[in-house]
Amino acid sequence: MPAWGMNGTYGDYMYVGHAVQTIINHNTTNPLFYYLATEVAHKPNETPQRFQSKYDPQTVPFLSVYAMSSIIDEALQNVTNALRWKGMWNTTLMVVASDNGGSLTETFASNFPLRGGKYSWFEGGIRTTSWVTGGVLPPSMRGRNLSSAHVIAICDWHSTFLALAGVHDSASESFFRTDRQASDRESALPLPEMDGINQWPAISGASTEPLREEVFVGSGVLIQANYKLIATANPHDDGRWSGPMYPKVPATGNAT
């Protein structure tokens, strides 16, 4: 939908505002799935002044970057407040996740203690931070960290959400598409089996054993339990480590 009359409006104000309005107008007799992808934290590193004013320029070298983090904080607060106001929080699972590691070419990113960064096949590029909250998360699991043995692949979120919604993920029973271009064939064709695993038992604490041991990362890259195979070139050939206080401690190690 074109954003008529919104020229000059900060992008994330629009996206978060739409999410809040969707929650407020939602018919709670029906389930709701909402995907909110903010533009921050990302280039062009532009933020409203009121977020930059939260920080002291004498001690904070990258005001716009810190300010972007504050925008995310406020966005999550506004969405959470809307869910609480609507009476939906107790039946909500909120997942906050990053899409990739920080770039080693940026002086304000750190993937410590992992190797590599954005664009690379090393863990610093593909193992990202994430957390879950919401009323459906058992109190015993709030504020706890999952063991590093619990690997969750991005496709697992799909299967996890389906399971929580009470949808069976069998290709033969529930998922069908309509082939409108072939009237002389069956109108409903089954989708292939999904690769995702329902990770709710691990997230909820019902399972202490890893539910996934294998992750196909990409062509020539495979994770199997405690082992990882990279049998292909790394994009940008950057295999450095960033320091814990990056940028004060620069990325170290060989680039390949």
Side-chain angles (χ1 to χ4, degrees):
M1 177 182 297
W4 300 117
M6 301 297 288
N7 189 36
T9 302
Y10 192 69
D12 283 327
Y13 285 174
M14 292 189 293
Y15 309 142
V16 176
H18 187 274
V20 169
Q21 198 61 45
T22 299
I23 294 168
I24 291 174
N25 295 333
H26 180 63
N27 179 358
T28 56
T29 61
N30 297 320
L32 172 66
F33 172 83
Y34 199 97
Y35 175 73
L36 173 60
T38 62
E39 288 186 297
V40 295
H42 203 281
K43 287 184 176 180
N45 301 349
E46 296 175 346
T47 60
Q49 182 59 43
R50 71 179 180 91
F51 293 100
Q52 296 187 30
S53 298
K54 294 177 179 287
Y55 301 95
D56 181 2
Q58 301 300 319
T59 58
V60 177
F62 305 103
L63 283 178
S64 61
V65 177
Y66 280 73
M68 286 191 290
S69 297
S70 292
I71 291 174
I72 297 175
D73 286 344
E74 185 174 286
L76 293 175
Q77 181 184 40
N78 290 343
V79 170
T80 300
N81 287 344
L83 289 167
R84 292 184 184 277
W85 180 86
K86 190 68 174 181
M88 297 170 58
W89 181 252
N90 288 339
T91 56
T92 290
L93 176 69
M94 178 185 289
V95 177
V96 183
S98 175
D99 55 350
N100 50 252
S103 172
L104 295 183
T105 62
E106 302 288 354
T107 55
F108 44 76
S110 175
N111 303 308
F112 180 84
L114 305 177
R115 183 185 185 185
K118 185 177 182 179
Y119 308 117
S120 81
W121 293 122
F122 293 114
E123 293 296 271
I126 65 171
R127 184 182 290 270
T128 65
T129 56
S130 64
W131 50 276
V132 298
T133 184
V136 300
L137 187 67
S140 61
M141 294 301 292
R142 298 173 189 177
R144 294 184 57 183
N145 294 327
L146 282 183
S147 165
S148 59
H150 287 281
V151 177
I152 298 179
I154 190 170
C155 61
D156 293 341
W157 289 122
H158 180 239
S159 296
T160 302
F161 295 151
L162 289 177
L164 287 171
V167 179
H168 188 56
D169 63 359
S170 170
S172 62
E173 295 183 24
S174 297
F175 291 97
F176 296 90
R177 64 181 173 86
T178 301
D179 188 354
R180 298 179 178 177
Q181 298 178 347
S183 57
D184 59 334
R185 292 183 294 173
E186 293 183 359
S187 60
L189 301 177
L191 292 174
E193 293 286 348
M194 296 188 298
D195 295 325
I197 295 174
N198 172 21
Q199 293 281 357
W200 180 243
I203 296 171
S204 64
S207 174
T208 58
E209 297 297 322
L211 302 177
R212 172 184 288 281
E213 291 190 343
E214 184 176 275
V215 179
F216 174 72
V217 181
S219 179
V221 185
L222 179 69
I223 295 175
Q224 181 73 50
N226 295 327
Y227 299 93
K228 181 176 181 179
L229 173 68
I230 300 180
T232 186
N234 255 294
H236 302 285
D237 292 329
D238 201 334
R240 297 174 294 165
W241 282 267
S242 53
M245 296 297 291
Y246 198 59
K248 293 182 180 179
V249 179
T252 60
N254 296 325
T256 56

